[in-house]
Structure formats: structure tokens, C-alpha cells
Amino acid sequence: MMARMPDSALLVLYIQLLQLNLSIQTLVLSAGLACDLMIDRQVRYQISACSLVDVAWENEHLVYCVDSGETHFLNATGAQILDYLIASPLSFEDLLACITSVDDGSNSETSAADLSSFLDRFVELGILVSCPALSDA
Amino acid sequence: MTICALSYDLASQRLSSTSGVDLQIGPFVFNLRLHCPDLARLLYELWRDYPLAEGAAVRDFHIQATSNPAPGRWLRRDVRFFVDGRTPFPLLPAHHHLPMLEWGLNWCIAQRSHHLLMLHAAVVERNGRAIILPAWPGHGKSTLCAALIHSGWRLLCDEFGLVRPEDGALLPLPRLIPLKNESIEVIRSFAPSAHIGPSFYGTRKGTIAHVRPPTESVERMHETARPGWFVFPRWVAGSPLRLEPMLKSEAFLMVATNAFNYEVLGQTSFELVGRMVDACDCYSLVYSDLDQAIKALDELTRAADD
């Protein structure tokens, strides 16, 4: 029987392989975080200039950031978010809409909280950058 | 010419000379100088099949072990270990000379061999394909490896899975296998033909005894192997055998976090481990009975051979 990873709506397992200290951080976000959300809806997110290399099996993806030398482990949703952002910069709302359209069973509050944390973390890691939203006009 | 082709007196004399002896061990040439008669005798017995690398253009490591004369009736004899003239380790008790030498060689390889990806794994081969057994200390890697090489598998290495980045080939490094504590008697019982050296008591890892690599494994140490399977073993007392498929992403993470130099090689490691995991079937193995474990691995790999 195959070992299975937990299947929450947006589970990001983030692996940092540091020069001297290999550490594994698991980010499992709960619905309780939703009330603390600080989402800046005026920005768009896009892939930074860093080079990414990836491998994928089934629904799991590993992404290597050449600039930082870190390896990141994403589930299908995390990888999908990166794919959307590689295609074009998107706002938080656009990304949330993309995710919830793919995963009908997800709780929107939980998805928003998870997405917010994912974006914050990847901006912090230098993989994503936020930029001002385009004017509707 | 191998060490044992020399008489013991000549080998001992050359080991203690100022130029020492050049030995080919896997892809490395070690220049070895010993001023430690007890250790010379043991190496003559346990390293007997290594070829002399006379006239080697490059020596990868210059190793010297020197024991001081007994400083007095109540004082301990010590041995000092030199790598390229430097002493990276504190003085150690002379009666632990062989474990110290073996750990010292591990240290040299792990520190310097960054042209290769170094997995912390035992590797054995049959029909050109290898089982890679990455494991954390205490998980029964060496015991399983010693049992496999006395059950029809060729030893590539017990400690280092050396992977050549250019083509992903596994390079043999057939060294002594250090068995610890209860494992010594387990292997004596499992493989009575195994050549096991003396026990060293009270080392930092408990009692250690070394299994000599089979002569055939040393003679074939220039034959590389292709990765066939990743098996992550764990010995659990009294546990029934469980050999279960693993997700490749999980196997990737375990291989990467357990490698000696994954982060040093950066993108090369990422792509290399990715290709290896992609090419291999990945399993976790929990075992308590060696016979059962060997049988299960035999069936697993024979199915692929057929």
C-alpha cells in the first residue's frame, strides 16, 4: 500500500536544505488562521528573476531555486499556483479564484488563509515578488 | 599486485617507510604510512586484496597513523592520525587504531570528494543493477549490507553511495564493514564464511568489529553499476517484515537530506537525485529477521530481472 501525504486543500511542505543545517519545516495551515489574514489586495504576484528547476511525480513537485540553493516540496495545488504565476502575474483574488475553481470542495476561508501564507513565504524566499496592481482604467 | 602478494615483513617495512604505500581503494589512491605495528598487522589481514598503486600520478589522500611509545605504566598509549600532514582529530587510544583509521578515511572522503554526489548509503549490485540502502545510524544498514554480500550480491560500499554526476553511475568503494554490538554475532551466525576482524570494545559507537570485503568485490572495484532500487531499511526488534512502495517525492527528500554533500553540489544534486529516483523503484523496509529481509529483496529484484 502506498504511503500517502495528508490531502488538505493547500498543504505546502517546505524543505530548506541549508548549507550547514538541513532542516525540514512543515507548514500546515489551519482554518483558524483565516481571521488573522492581512491580505494586500492591491498587489499582483509574479515569479522573480530567480531560476527554478523542477521535477514532478504524480501530484507532487520538487522545485529547486538556483539562486538560493534551496529545494521546495509542493503538493499539486502549490505547483499549480506557481504554474499560474509563471504564465502571468496575478492578484490574490485572481489566484484564489483559480484555486477554488479547481478544488470545489475547499473551504474558501481556509484556501484564502493558505494562499496568503504561501504567497508570503515565497515572497520571503525570493521566488515571488509582489508588484502594484494594474489600474482597472 | 595486492598487499597480500608481499610478505608481511616487506609490507610492514614499506608501510613504516618515509614514502609509505600507495593503495587503490575504489576511485581513490591513498598514500598510507603507519608507525603502529599492531595496526599494520591488522591491515595486512583485512585490507589484503587492495591493489598497490605503484607509480600513481595522483594521490588523493596522504594518511599517517603514529602511535607514541608507552609513556609509562599508568598512562594510556595514544595514536595520532594525520591527513596531509595535519591532525584533524585529537589523540585517540591506541587500542582503537583500526576503527579510528576507518572513520578517518570516511572523514577524508566526505570532506574532499565533492566531484561526486555522496549518499550516506550502503550499495550492493547484481546483474549490473544496484540496491541503494540509505539509512540513518542504528537502522541496520551495515548488518543488512553484510548479509547481502554473503548472499550473492557484490559490495559496492557500506557507507558511501558514490554517484558520478556525468552519467549517474554508482562507483564502488569496497571498504571494511563496521558491525556494531549485537550485529557482530548476528553476522557470525548468518554468514559463517564472513571474515570478521577482532572486536574493539568501548569505542564511541560501542563494540566494533569489521567484515572484510569479499575478494571478488575488491577485484571488481572498477566496475560501476546502475541504480535499480532505493530501499530505506529500518531494523525494529520483533517486527514482522514490511517491504512497501514509497512515493518518489518522499524518497527524493530522504535521499537528499541523507546525502553528505547535496547542498554543496546544488543544482547538480537536485537533477541527479531526481534522475536516480525517477529510474528506481523506491521502498521502505522494516525488518527484524535477516533471512526474511534477504528473501524479500531477492524476490523484489529477481522479478525485475525476469
Side-chain angles (χ1 to χ4, degrees), chain A residues 1-5 15 17-20 22 24 53-58 60-64 66 71 73, chain B residues 244-250 252-253 256-259 262-267 270-271 273-275 277-278:
Chain A
M1 183 169 169
M2 297 287 281
R4 284 276 160 222
M5 297 298 298
I15 309 302
L17 295 157
L18 299 176
Q19 184 82 11
L20 295 173
L22 299 181
I24 298 180
V53 186
D54 72 310
V55 292
W57 294 284
E58 298 151 6
E60 288 171 345
H61 302 249
L62 289 137
V63 177
Y64 179 78
V66 176
T71 302
F73 180 20
Chain B
E244 296 172 342
M246 281 176 69
L247 289 175
K248 289 193 181 254
S249 53
E250 192 180 347
F252 183 108
L253 292 177
T257 51
N258 151 299
Y262 175 86
E263 65 278 14
V264 175
L265 295 188
Q267 184 176 351
F270 179 82
E271 292 174 343
V273 174
R275 285 202 302 273
V277 169
D278 207 37

Side-chain angles (χ1 to χ4, degrees), chain B residues 103-130:
Chain B
W103 291 325
L105 296 195
N106 289 346
W107 182 88
C108 292
I109 294 165
Q111 289 286 317
R112 302 259 194 91
S113 308
H114 297 305
H115 58 298
L116 302 170
L117 174 65
M118 292 180 277
L119 309 179
H120 182 214
V123 185
V124 294
E125 175 269 350
R126 192 168 63 190
N127 297 331
R129 297 184 73 195

Side-chain angles (χ1 to χ4, degrees), chain B residues 48-79:
Chain B
R48 51 173 286 152
D49 296 316
Y50 291 136
L52 303 174
E54 290 172 316
V58 176
R59 295 160 171 163
D60 296 281
F61 307 101
H62 292 76
I63 308 295
Q64 187 181 347
T66 304
S67 61
N68 58 359
R73 187 176 172 194
W74 307 111
L75 295 176
R76 182 183 81 171
R77 277 185 70 213
D78 290 317
V79 63

Side-chain angles (χ1 to χ4, degrees), chain B:
Chain B
M1 179 186 282
T2 60
I3 295 178
C4 67
L6 306 174
S7 67
Y8 170 71
D9 287 343
L10 181 56
S12 174
Q13 183 187 340
R14 288 181 59 177
L15 280 166
S16 61
S17 69
T18 52
S19 55
V21 171
D22 292 331
L23 294 175
Q24 184 81 46
I25 306 180
F28 307 114
V29 174
F30 291 87
N31 176 261
L32 189 63
R33 291 167 60 194
L34 297 180
H35 301 283
C36 188
D38 299 346
L39 182 55
R41 183 162 291 283
L42 263 183
L43 291 192
Y44 188 73
E45 171 193 341
L46 296 173
W47 287 23
R48 51 173 286 152
D49 296 316
Y50 291 136
L52 303 174
E54 290 172 316
V58 176
R59 295 160 171 163
D60 296 281
F61 307 101
H62 292 76
I63 308 295
Q64 187 181 347
T66 304
S67 61
N68 58 359
R73 187 176 172 194
W74 307 111
L75 295 176
R76 182 183 81 171
R77 277 185 70 213
D78 290 317
V79 63
R80 190 179 285 280
F81 186 83
F82 296 84
V83 178
D84 296 341
R86 298 186 171 203
T87 53
F89 311 115
L91 283 171
L92 288 165
H95 61 277
H96 290 166
H97 43 48
L98 181 60
M100 192 196 69
L101 177 65
E102 288 287 322
W103 291 325
L105 296 195
N106 289 346
W107 182 88
C108 292
I109 294 165
Q111 289 286 317
R112 302 259 194 91
S113 308
H114 297 305
H115 58 298
L116 302 170
L117 174 65
M118 292 180 277
L119 309 179
H120 182 214
V123 185
V124 294
E125 175 269 350
R126 192 168 63 190
N127 297 331
R129 297 184 73 195
I131 304 181
I132 305 168
L133 301 154
W136 277 263
H139 279 202
K141 163 176 69 69
S142 295
T143 314
L144 185 57
C145 177
L148 283 165
I149 64 168
H150 290 92
S151 305
W153 291 81
R154 173 168 69 108
L155 174 69
L156 266 71
C157 193
D158 168 60
E159 184 71 9
F160 289 95
L162 299 179
V163 190
R164 190 164 56 196
E166 296 89 319
D167 59 2
L170 289 157
L171 307 187
L173 182 64
R175 307 245 323 271
L176 305 187
I177 300 176
L179 298 175
K180 298 164 200 81
N181 304 315
E182 292 83 1
S183 294
I184 300 167
E185 285 312 311
V186 168
I187 292 300
R188 277 194 212 285
S189 165
F190 180 88
S193 64
H195 187 110
I196 302 178
S199 292
F200 295 88
Y201 301 95
T203 78
R204 60 189 169 89
K205 294 191 176 182
T207 302
I208 302 276
H210 300 85
V211 178
R212 187 171 75 192
T215 299
E216 188 206 354
S217 296
V218 178
E219 286 174 347
R220 295 175 61 195
M221 69 184 177
H222 297 293
E223 285 181 34
T224 62
R226 286 181 297 124
W229 302 266
F230 275 107
V231 176
F232 297 84
R234 189 158 58 93
W235 182 86
V236 176
S239 171
L241 183 105
R242 294 203 310 271
L243 181 62
E244 296 172 342
M246 281 176 69
L247 289 175
K248 289 193 181 254
S249 53
E250 192 180 347
F252 183 108
L253 292 177
M254 291 179 69
V255 171
T257 51
N258 151 299
F260 288 102
N261 62 342
Y262 175 86
E263 65 278 14
V264 175
L265 295 188
Q267 184 176 351
T268 299
S269 293
F270 179 82
E271 292 174 343
L272 191 51
V273 174
R275 285 202 302 273
M276 291 175 74
V277 169
D278 207 37
C280 289
D281 295 325
C282 305
Y283 294 86
S284 68
L285 170 67
V286 176
Y287 76 99
S288 59
D289 183 283
L290 264 183
D291 288 305
Q292 285 181 4
I294 300 296
K295 183 165 180 280
L297 291 176
D298 203 49
E299 287 170 2
L300 175 76
T301 52
R302 282 203 192 283
D305 289 341
D306 292 342

